[in-house]
Amino acid sequence: MSRFMIDLPVNQPEEFVRFVSQDFFAKEGFELSRYKQETVWRKGMGLLTCPQFMKVEYRGGVVHLEAWMSQFALPGIYLGEMGVTGAWGWAVKQTLKSRVDTLIGLLSQQAPTPQAAATVPEAPASAAGQAPAVSAPAAQQPIPVAVHDPRGKATASLVLGIVGLLAWLSPMLGTVIGVIGIVMGTMGRKSTARGRATAGLVLSILTVVASAGNFILSVYLMFSGIFW
């Protein structure tokens, strides 16, 4: 299936669109890159999972958003493009679709206008999901808007880290859980639940280390029994 495309009438300053989208992509681990003569946001190099792409353009109060994934052929080899819907690769597409829905929600928020911002107090730096995105004139307060807050990934990392306290007894299972927990924890540290994500990250790293140690010990004991 072809790329997902949508035009969003946001009627907000370009600075608003740039701030919200760049903040979102940074927290989700996307990097700005070139793809077939296009400037896009890309996540993943394609060695183990399908690379994800998103493209944001702003013209005359309308945001044009595109999202797609490389179509899997063989490990590390991808042919063509596919969108975020359809039965083929449904589970993987859902991850990108969830990101698309989140970004659409952030861009569609009703941010205060510069005139209204004069009566709106500045959001404190520690406020959950709040950050000054667009600066009003010097006589006015900065305009607070909602930004991406991946608290769910912080929670997921902590849960996986706790599960890993037992999962390391099975090296393969422990490694998988630990790696996912590390990825979630890394992204979760960019949220307001940084402490939770850090705890999950540490536990997930310990899970991977313990799983690797368990595997090495199992191999050693196996060969020791053969040769001795």
Side-chain angles (χ1 to χ4, degrees):
M1 182 173 289
S2 59
R3 300 182 183 185
F4 168 87
M5 298 184 185
I6 189 172
D7 290 319
L8 299 171
V10 296
N11 296 317
Q12 296 290 351
E14 184 177 357
E15 290 81 2
F16 165 85
V17 176
R18 185 185 305 115
F19 176 86
V20 170
S21 59
Q22 289 182 358
D23 176 81
F24 170 82
F25 289 127
K27 290 176 178 176
E28 286 295 314
F30 281 75
E31 295 182 353
L32 199 62
S33 63
R34 295 290 293 177
Y35 172 82
K36 295 182 179 180
Q37 309 305 316
E38 298 178 88
T39 300
V40 302
W41 291 91
R42 173 174 180 159
K43 181 177 178 65
M45 299 304 296
L47 297 178
L48 298 176
T49 59
C50 296
Q52 299 181 10
F53 300 90
M54 296 183 71
K55 180 179 177 181
V56 177
E57 295 178 339
Y58 180 80
R59 299 191 189 95
V62 176
V63 173
H64 177 73
L65 174 63
E66 299 183 13
W68 69 96
M69 302 175 64
S70 295
Q71 190 163 0
F72 176 84
L74 292 171
I77 300 176
Y78 301 89
L79 303 173
E81 301 173 354
M82 56 183 179
V84 299
T85 59
W88 174 254
W90 178 84
V92 181
K93 289 178 179 177
Q94 282 299 110
T95 302
L96 180 56
K97 185 178 184 303
S98 176
R99 290 187 168 117
V100 169
D101 292 341
T102 299
L103 182 56
I104 289 176
L106 291 169
L107 292 173
S108 300
Q109 65 180 289
Q110 296 300 313
T113 62
Q115 292 76 17
T119 61
V120 177
E122 181 178 356
S126 60
Q130 296 288 325
V134 184
S135 296
Q140 299 174 346
Q141 295 290 336
I143 302 175
V145 298
V147 294
H148 185 44
D149 187 21
R151 292 173 59 89
K153 292 182 173 61
T155 301
S157 176
L158 181 58
V159 171
L160 290 170
I162 294 173
V163 172
L165 295 176
L166 292 177
W168 68 272
L169 295 173
S170 172
M172 182 174 294
L173 178 61
T175 300
V176 171
I177 289 177
V179 169
I180 296 175
I182 291 172
V183 173
M184 292 291 184
T186 301
M187 291 190 288
R189 279 172 55 82
K190 300 173 184 178
S191 73
T192 54
R194 181 182 176 89
R196 190 185 311 162
T198 300
L201 181 61
V202 171
L203 290 175
S204 296
I205 292 174
L206 291 176
T207 296
V208 172
V209 172
S211 298
N214 189 14
F215 175 76
I216 293 173
L217 179 60
S218 299
V219 172
Y220 172 77
L221 292 176
M222 180 180 67
F223 280 97
S224 295
I226 294 176
F227 294 105
W228 303 99

